[in-house]
Amino acid sequence: MAKKTSATPDVEKMRHSCAHVLAQAVLEMFPEAKLGFGPAIENGFYYDFDLPRTLIPEDLPILEKKMKHIVKQNQKFKLVEKNVDESISYLEKINQDYKVEASNDLKKEGFDKITFYENINQKGEMTFVDMCEGPHLEGTSKIGPFKLTHTAGAYWRGDEKRPMLQRIYAVCFTTQKELDDYLKQMEEAKKRDHRRLGTDLDLFMFDEEVGAGLPLWLPNGAYIRHKVMEFAFNTYLENGYDPVSTPHIANVALWSHSGHLDFYSDSMYGSLTIDEEEYKLKPMNCPLHVKMYNSSTRSYRELPFRWTEMGTVYRYERSGTLHGLTRVRGFTQDDAHIICRPDQLKEELEKALKLTLYILNTFGFKDIEMNVSVRDPENKSKFIGEDKLWKQAENTLKEVLEASGFKDYIYDIGGAVFYGPKIDVKVADSIGRKWQLSTIQFDFNLPTRFGMAYVGEDGKNHTPFMIHRALLGSLERFIGVLIEHYGGAFPAWLAPIPVVIIPVAQAHEKYAEEILKKLKEKGIRAKLYNSTDTLGKRIRLAEMKKIPYMAVVGDKEVKAKSLAIRNYKTKKQETVKAEKFLTNLQKEIIDRD
Ligand SMILES: [Zn+2]
Ligand SMILES: [Zn+2]
């Protein structure tokens, strides 16, 4: 079993062994069950089954009980090798149709032997068998604490034209504490699920008739999206970037020239025909920026170029992988391309990294992990670009990271894409989950393909370095992460409504309206909650909408020109002078606190 997760091979082996135990328990419960695949995944494993009926939540504890019983027995995992034809007829005999198909494929690929793992109980009887490449533990007693978490539909081989199987997900750890901590985090994550909060807070929606993976931003969500985009874009302009803007579609000739048709066509949508010419929705902005660069002769004196675009791109994602805002079919990137001379590389990378940290810190992401992916020096043919360029790029990446205090970055040899090394930035959110957000990526492909050049001091043509960078990544995904990170309680600078004013009774409405007017003068979006609902009900509504500040006004406040402020985050209440609150809130918004 190739390593697929961030866990150690031993932990992966344990998790996958636990998956076999689950399959054994499922077969005890449904002898006619047909097995799909059951790999280890992050924090646990899953297994896909074709079952005579749909599983209900109550099935999971029953299966867990059966699994615990198997684990206790310390059944041994025994490796058995069969030749391929014998394997196929054996799997046919035990009615494991999906495994028959998988073994037929292996036969076509030229395998002559197939491995199986049997479970053997203390009496020496075979209790379970699965076609599997392993590896496995010695026996089931080495399996750590686990829990079956949920089920989901999953197409056989991820193909929507094939049968839908039932996938059982599980988590499995080496110690009880790890399991408990993880389950607690999951519980918290459920409350923060951006899909649920998106509905509760009227942020965004999907509509069947519009299409899957195509989010519709409601006013509250669109406001947040606007604020995030405005902050990022303005920050780039303040940091020496220039704005550019390009269309959503481009002639197929461009995508052929850039290599996207050869290497990226699986992610691209079908063509549109305009005046008998073929066009495609753009999956990336890069070739369009390259065209602008190439539109005139560039001198070494003009470099570096830092061109940024909030570019909307479209990429095909299978319907089964779509997930709220974090996996969609059309999204906007805070894209930029840095085109520079070799002697500017270090400074440009330093600046890009500094900017990344500033942007992420502003959103409260403090725990940041750097992942550097470089070429495999043993397998250079997989990568394009001259040795000299790779070396300079990789060394500069390392140097810059170390100089910025990131000594313990993760170094992935062979993890680079074929056209250049990169830094991926992962952040931990407020409940410790990691998300990959920013990317800073070299490209040795496009400059060559498009013959990008600048005239050097020597009067000759030189090829510039080209760096792609997106710091938020996809805005849709970033905001999905942000909703979960904040648990829907946005700070005042991002909140669609940072403050509501709640008059206790009608007599206090005039004063409330004065405050509203003053807030609006300061450019602060505020709302008056002056409906005929009871005070308690209006306070609960503001709570539910996770409004950062509630300003309640009654007799006392009107008289003292003050406000009774309730802070959503701290749950504290205090009475402050109205002027002071207005100034403080304005400062908080400007400072993006
Ligand atoms: Zn296995
Ligand atoms: Zn790019």
Side-chain angles (χ1 to χ4, degrees), residues 286 335 337 468:
C286 340
D335 206 1
H337 294 99
H468 312 259

Side-chain angles (χ1 to χ4, degrees), residues 101 154-165 167 316 318-320:
E101 182 183 322
Y155 291 107
W156 167 240
R157 300 201 142 161
D159 181 349
E160 41 261 64
K161 291 183 201 91
R162 306 298 309 275
M164 168 84 88
L165 306 181
R167 176 169 296 178
Y316 176 66
R318 284 171 184 271
S319 62

Side-chain angles (χ1 to χ4, degrees), residues 144-145 173-180:
F173 292 92
T174 38
T175 65
Q176 188 65 39
K177 182 172 184 310
E178 281 174 288
L179 178 66
D180 291 344

